[in-house]
Amino acid sequence: MTIADTLRAEPGFQADAVAATVRRRSWAALAALAAVVLYLAYAWHAFGVSTLIATAQPDRAVLLGLDSVAHKVHVTKDLRAGDLQVSIEGERTAVYEQPPAWVATDGGRTTVDLGDGYTVTIEDRGAVFEVPGYGTIVARVEGGKIVTDLPGPAPDWLQLNPAKVDARPTIGRRLQVSRTRIEVHRYFFGWENFFFPFRSELTAYSAGELAGLAVSGDRLSAELPNWRYILDTFLTNPDWLHGEVLIALFETVMMAVLGTMIAAFVGLPLAFLAASNFTPSRVLQAATRRLFDFLRGIDMLIWSLIFIRAFGLGPLTGALAIAFTDTGSLGKLFSEALENIDDKQVDGVRATGASRLQRYRFGVIPQILPVLVSQILYYLESNTRSATVIGALGAGGIGLLLVETMRTAKDWENTTYIIILTILVVFAMDSLSRRLRRRLIDG
Amino acid sequence: MIARVLRDEIVRAEQQRRLYSALVVVLTLAVLIGGLRQASAMNSGSFFAGLSKFFDYPGEIVIEAWQAGPAFFGLLWRFLPALVETLNIALVATLLGGAAAVGLSFLSSRNLDVWPPLIPVVRRTMDVMRAFPELILALFLIFVLGTSPIPAMIAVAFHTAGALGKLFSEVNENIDRKPIDGLRACGASWMQRLRFAVWPQVAPNYVSYFMLRLEINVRASAILGFVGAGGIGSELRRTIGWGQGAGDETAALFVLLFLSIVVIDQMSSATRNRLVRGPALA
């Protein structure tokens, strides 16, 4: 006797009905899957994925990757003025007074050693680029035109047009010749001038020496004690703006914390009005519920836009946008928690002759506290992420700073630096909230 | 004697607990008040000056919308494609992220006979995916792929996979093991056990979390549109950038966004109530 036969022999077991249900459900599942696949096909078309793949610029990602971990040093010859200078990222504030050892000047002739046998020789109005494995590229500016001499057919890393020659045989070496200037780039690994500005005398010291200086009585500057001077120099570093970044991070965290706290403080009393077992009147209950729906429905995006208009840039704007949206969300969650409480505890407290407030305090709040705390912490964590986005809409903080540095796209290492700090702060808030939740709720 | 010692002990513990509660409340209030003052000081416009202007902007766009008259409904119709794009971003992201989350959650549940060393690895991966700010991923992808809905979709899907994966794995860990053991006794493979013993138990909860996430993702897609990902967010950015005169268009976009969020919100909570509490699938 098979299992199926045994089951059929069981009284009250309708094998055919069960089989039919299973078959119907399997078909329904398959149909749902087919619908999803069809929808995704439509989305593929609606989003224009095919054209997107064709127009994507993966080289930008490579460039961004390189630029975020490396910096370049420019050797620039201005053909109008005739002078040659070596600077970090071509910035006027970071020009070497004494060129580094790999740039050798001998009379009117400058040899730039790019390593691994790559050299560029700049002389008069022309440059000679030695590329191992290819040969020698000669580019000269003669009478407003660029004349080139190549050892063979132009490879794809070399761009030639009448106004500009751009040779980049490896990703870290580049020569550009235009009618007005000759420019050589050499990339170095690491972030330049991260701690102190290029011109600062502090760049010369090691970490140990700096620690010694910080506590030493001999002042580097007349007005400030050494540790303040070192800190100030670090925070006001013009390439990295550490001070501004830290303030922006602080603003973002403040938006999240204040927004969530206001939402919880306003949402809790309103939740009592919206819970069917506590509300003083049905009308008030319905009104409060609609208010919650309204606050949530308007959404953080619209609230931020309205508050940015009214309050301008800053943490208050972001905090209020978060507070308005989340008063709706938290209020709804709290009122659901209130509706699910056990009335026996409240009755017990009532039996001791407790007033209404005391009943709430000792009979109700202890029951909903775990839900309350875990939801508040959960929202705090997710609001830290939201605060970065609201910032990018124009409320300020790290989000705005990020969008601005990305838009100028000058120095990707700055963007990388801000991204890393933002992620660290979000992770920190995330693990803080997780740890608090575990401690407070599991005891 | 013992009773008295015990009572003293309880009273002391109670007093200590109350002290802690009072401290927490005072500390919270201090942070709140101090923070608000600080925030107000750091803001470019002050709180009280802003308060008087709070209704100016909403008032302005409502008046402009009123003046537009019946043409306002035409605007609603005109912006419908942008809304559909935002909804598409959210739905595709939730579907793809949800599918990834199902896979991740099965690999990170302790009771589903997965190779044990894999579990913490998958869990940490999901933590990172969840905590990674969507904005950063979206901006990076916009830079590489150009302005289009895809970067926002990928960013939202990435976050969704982490967030739903965690919730799904909690659902998985609360299931009844008996059906799994029963199927194993019949010689069912791992995939068959998942399909016939685990899936029927977890599917209702999955759908309920999926709906909740869909609602969150519609909001996220609208916001990411504002930083250059297309959809209703980019339309908003355009009309707001124009300043005065485009108030009716801004109002139309606000109305569309509000309505769609409310509809999805109600749909999602109705579905969740039916699936989790209702008798339909009991």
Side-chain angles (χ1 to χ4, degrees), chain B residues 19-41:
Chain B
L19 186 71
Y20 280 147
S21 314
L23 264 179
V24 167
V25 169
V26 168
L27 214 70
T28 315
L29 281 177
V31 169
L32 190 62
I33 293 166
L36 275 178
R37 289 180 63 132
Q38 179 69 23
S40 186

Side-chain angles (χ1 to χ4, degrees), chain A residues 39 296 311 313-314 316 389, chain B residues 43-44 88 131 143 219 223 265:
Chain A
Y39 172 71
R296 262 172 333 130
F311 295 104
L313 218 88
L316 187 67
V389 186
Chain B
N43 231 61
S44 58
N88 274 337
F143 181 74
R219 298 163 188 266
I223 280 202
D265 185 87

Side-chain angles (χ1 to χ4, degrees), chain A residues 261-440:
Chain A
M261 276 166 87
I262 298 172
F265 270 96
V266 180
L268 185 59
L270 288 178
F272 277 94
L273 296 183
S276 54
N277 48 345
F278 287 101
T279 186
S281 86
R282 291 271 147 202
V283 180
L284 211 56
Q285 182 197 9
T288 323
R289 285 201 171 168
R290 289 294 85 75
L291 175 71
F292 287 160
D293 286 345
F294 177 75
L295 287 174
R296 262 172 333 130
I298 293 281
D299 193 37
M300 226 174 260
L301 170 62
I302 301 178
W303 283 126
S304 330
L305 295 175
I306 293 175
F307 282 116
I308 289 168
R309 280 293 177 106
F311 295 104
L313 218 88
L316 187 67
T317 309
L320 287 176
I322 291 176
F324 269 64
T325 320
D326 284 355
T327 300
S329 319
L330 285 176
K332 187 182 176 212
L333 285 168
F334 291 169
S335 74
E336 280 166 7
L338 282 172
E339 285 177 356
N340 288 330
I341 64 158
D342 185 0
D343 286 333
K344 287 194 195 109
Q345 294 188 31
V346 188
D347 289 340
V349 177
R350 193 203 308 269
T352 64
S355 71
R356 178 185 272 259
L357 260 180
Q358 282 171 325
R359 285 204 303 274
Y360 286 179
R361 166 69 187 80
F362 296 102
V364 180
I365 297 285
Q367 288 195 58
I368 61 163
L369 201 60
V371 179
L372 216 75
V373 172
S374 81
Q375 289 300 333
I376 291 173
L377 285 173
Y378 175 72
Y379 269 86
L380 178 65
E381 168 197 323
S382 104
N383 281 339
T384 315
R385 269 192 310 277
S386 308
T388 61
V389 186
I390 294 180
L393 305 181
I398 200 74
L400 191 62
L401 206 59
L402 185 68
V403 173
E404 277 171 0
T405 50
M406 267 190 156
R407 212 156 275 160
T408 54
K410 182 176 64 103
D411 256 352
W412 278 98
E413 55 262 42
N414 286 355
T415 317
T416 316
Y417 173 57
I418 294 175
I419 289 178
I420 290 173
L421 282 181
T422 314
I423 292 173
L424 283 182
V425 167
V426 173
F427 278 9
M429 290 297 273
D430 186 82
S431 72
L432 180 80
S433 126
R434 199 162 2 145
R435 210 164 294 168
L436 275 177
R437 239 179 328 186
R438 204 176 300 153
R439 278 199 56 181
L440 290 174

